[in-house]
């Protein structure tokens, strides 16, 4: 690798480490993601109770908030920690799939912004798949946190 690029990346990593306050930010994000997973399960409960408006608002808010967290915290952390362990890559793949599915569900079912030919005909299996993928991604995120930080999030 070009030595100038290595110096630049090292400087970015030092700056990012200072901004993330030595893992405190990652711990907060882990707890926030766990709370959002509970919120998604609560949203699924709202759908079972046929309270679809509340379900849609809750799920849409969580998917949007997660997109912001991914952009601000997770993508920079991925580039910093890439290659540290395979769980980082597996978590990134699962999280990407979960977020893209979530965004697609919100755009298709929640907002109706997609043309009719791209919308779901039966929402239930897609929403269940999205929730399951999201829960796997959150679990992998906890494993990633534990692996990279060598401890629990307590």
């Amino acid at each position: 690798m070009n030595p100038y690029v290595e110096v630049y990346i090292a400087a970015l990593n030092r700056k990012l480490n200072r901004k993330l306050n030595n893992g405190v930010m990652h711990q907060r994000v882990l707890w926030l993601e766990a709370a959002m997973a509970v919120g998604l399960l609560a949203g699924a409960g709202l759908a079972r109770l046929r309270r679809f408006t509340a379900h849609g608002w809750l799920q849409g808010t969580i998917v949007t908030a997660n997109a912001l967290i991914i952009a601000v915290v997770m993508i920079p952390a991925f580039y910093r920690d890439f290659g540290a362990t395979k769980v980082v890559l597996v978590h990134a793949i699962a999280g990407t799939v979960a977020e893209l599915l979530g965004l697609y569900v919100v755009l298709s079912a929640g907002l109706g912004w997609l043309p009719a030919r791209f919308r779901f005909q039966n929402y239930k299996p897609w929403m269940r798949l999205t929730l399951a993928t999201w829960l796997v991604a959150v679990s992998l995120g906890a494993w990633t946190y534990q692996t990279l930080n060598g401890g629990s999030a307590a």
Side-chain angles (χ1 to χ4, degrees):
M1 182 182 282
N2 184 327
Y4 294 111
V5 172
E6 288 178 16
V7 169
Y8 179 71
I9 290 173
L12 283 176
N13 281 336
R14 283 191 303 276
K15 186 176 182 181
L16 183 62
N17 281 333
R18 282 192 307 272
K19 282 189 172 185
L20 294 177
N21 200 10
N22 296 327
V24 172
M25 176 64 83
H26 290 296
Q27 188 177 39
R28 289 177 184 158
V29 167
L30 177 62
W31 284 108
L32 182 60
E33 289 289 334
M36 288 193 296
V38 170
L40 289 173
L41 290 170
L46 287 171
R48 293 204 38 98
L49 294 172
R50 306 188 66 76
R51 300 194 55 202
F52 297 118
T53 302
H55 161 76
W57 274 101
L58 180 60
Q59 307 299 70
T61 301
I62 291 172
V63 168
T64 304
N66 193 56
L68 293 171
I69 291 170
I70 289 170
V72 172
V73 177
M74 293 188 188
I75 291 174
F78 173 77
Y79 283 109
R80 186 192 66 217
D81 297 328
F82 183 75
T85 177
K86 290 191 185 343
V87 71
V88 173
L89 180 62
V90 174
H91 168 61
I93 291 169
T96 300
V97 169
E99 184 64 21
L100 290 176
L101 274 171
L103 289 170
Y104 185 71
V105 168
V106 167
L107 291 174
S108 177
L111 299 174
W113 287 359
L114 297 177
R117 65 183 177 179
F118 294 121
R119 290 187 201 159
F120 302 126
Q121 298 303 316
N122 185 2
Y123 294 106
K124 200 179 286 190
W126 286 100
M127 290 182 179
R128 288 179 178 168
L129 174 66
T130 303
L131 178 61
T133 307
W134 195 293
L135 294 174
V136 167
V138 169
S139 299
L140 287 168
W143 184 18
T144 300
Y145 177 87
Q146 174 116 12
T147 302
L148 295 177
N149 295 296
S152 69

